[in-house]
Amino acid sequence: MSRNKVTVTLDEDLLQELDRISSKSRKPRSRLVEEAIRCWQRSQRQNKLIEGYRTMASEDQKIAEANLPAAYEILK
């Protein structure tokens, strides 16, 4: 994977926090920013999966409720 250099502008407080974490973890700023972006991407994917499963569960419940009278008829 190729790597590219970019320039970003950060709020002073955020930059100080980044520098503090960088010093404490002994990781370069760029590595921490990359990890943060990857973490954000995972979170976004997870949120989409959760929403998809919730939608599926709601649809499954509607289908089950719609078919419930037929199931009762079969069991009689």
Side-chain angles (χ1 to χ4, degrees):
M1 176 187 313
S2 67
R3 300 181 72 76
N4 296 296
K5 191 171 203 168
V6 297
T7 301
V8 296
T9 303
L10 299 174
D11 180 74
E12 182 66 30
D13 293 339
L14 189 57
L15 179 58
Q16 287 176 3
E17 181 69 8
L18 180 60
D19 286 340
R20 185 188 68 74
I21 295 169
S22 175
S23 177
K24 186 176 179 180
S25 66
R26 298 181 185 212
K27 293 180 183 179
R29 287 176 177 171
S30 58
R31 173 93 181 263
L32 293 172
V33 171
E34 187 175 313
E35 288 176 3
I37 292 170
R38 290 191 192 287
C39 181
W40 178 81
Q41 287 176 321
R42 280 191 304 274
S43 174
Q44 293 299 303
R45 282 192 298 269
Q46 183 178 13
N47 289 341
K48 286 180 183 179
L49 284 171
I50 289 169
E51 183 58 34
Y53 283 123
R54 284 185 179 147
T55 300
M56 286 172 47
S58 175
E59 291 173 4
D60 288 347
Q61 182 177 1
K62 289 176 186 175
I63 291 169
E65 289 172 354
N67 291 319
L68 197 55
Y72 283 137
E73 285 299 316
I74 292 171
L75 296 175
K76 283 185 177 180

